[in-house]
Amino acid sequence: MKICIRTPVTESPMDVLERFDRTLFEALTPPGAQVELIRFDGSKMGDIVHLRLKLLGFIEQDWISDIIEDGATEERAYFIDQGTQLPFFLTFWKHKHIVEKAEWGSTIVDDIEFKTPLWLPSFLLYPVLYAQFAFRKPIYQKFFGKGG
């Protein structure tokens, strides 16, 4: 399954990517989600992000992602995280964080690919994940200005 959400902002790609830090990461957590940030190294290749999810108030699941690639040009900056330890409802996770230059500043692209153990949970999880990433749009625009 794939999700792709684009958000226009006024800052340049490099300025946006440089501010993908712990403060932004914590601000992007949806309200009501029980997520503890155990480790946040950053968004450079080799960095690790470790979350602990609390599901139904008592089931704890670790989600660990490695930053497997990053790069930047004048037109585009990006990093990619891939899940190495995932909650039981996921078997694969890859999230490309891309910031592309635009006439008003840039566009943040959340390009996500995920898999679940069976096809039906993928279809059930899709709208939940889509909503969680759509929730990021106004937060990105608060941090980086409303572009477009």
Side-chain angles (χ1 to χ4, degrees):
M1 299 291 293
K2 290 188 171 227
I3 297 171
C4 189
I5 297 177
R6 303 174 69 82
T7 307
V9 297
T10 56
E11 291 191 24
S12 72
M14 283 308 298
D15 289 340
V16 170
L17 200 63
E18 286 175 7
R19 292 181 47 213
F20 263 78
D21 57 16
R22 186 180 193 108
T23 301
L24 176 62
F25 191 88
E26 289 174 341
L28 293 172
T29 302
Q34 294 184 316
V35 178
E36 179 184 359
L37 184 55
I38 305 294
R39 177 176 173 181
F40 182 88
D41 294 348
S43 54
K44 298 287 184 198
M45 192 166 85
D47 288 346
I48 294 173
V49 178
H50 180 178
L51 307 173
R52 182 158 296 134
L53 310 177
K54 192 175 267 192
L55 308 171
L56 304 173
F58 65 93
I59 300 171
E60 290 188 350
Q61 294 282 295
D62 284 342
W63 183 327
I64 300 172
S65 287
D66 292 347
I67 309 303
I68 60 167
E69 189 177 331
D70 73 282
T73 66
E74 287 186 28
E75 300 295 315
R76 183 176 187 257
Y78 75 97
F79 68 95
I80 302 170
D81 71 80
Q82 185 165 317
T84 55
Q85 182 178 340
L86 296 168
F88 69 90
F89 52 86
L90 289 171
T91 58
F92 179 80
W93 179 266
K94 188 179 215 177
H95 182 180
K96 297 176 185 173
H97 306 256
I98 304 164
V99 188
E100 300 171 334
K101 188 175 181 177
E103 66 181 72
W104 56 80
S106 55
T107 301
I108 299 173
V109 181
D110 284 301
D111 183 351
I112 299 143
E113 182 180 353
F114 71 93
K115 294 178 185 170
T116 62
L118 302 167
W119 67 269
L120 182 59
S122 290
F123 286 100
L124 298 174
L125 189 57
Y126 184 92
V128 173
L129 289 174
Y130 189 92
Q132 286 184 340
F133 282 91
F135 167 82
R136 292 178 168 209
K137 290 178 79 110
I139 296 165
Y140 282 149
Q141 290 176 328
K142 180 181 176 184
F143 270 71
F144 307 117
K146 189 173 183 175

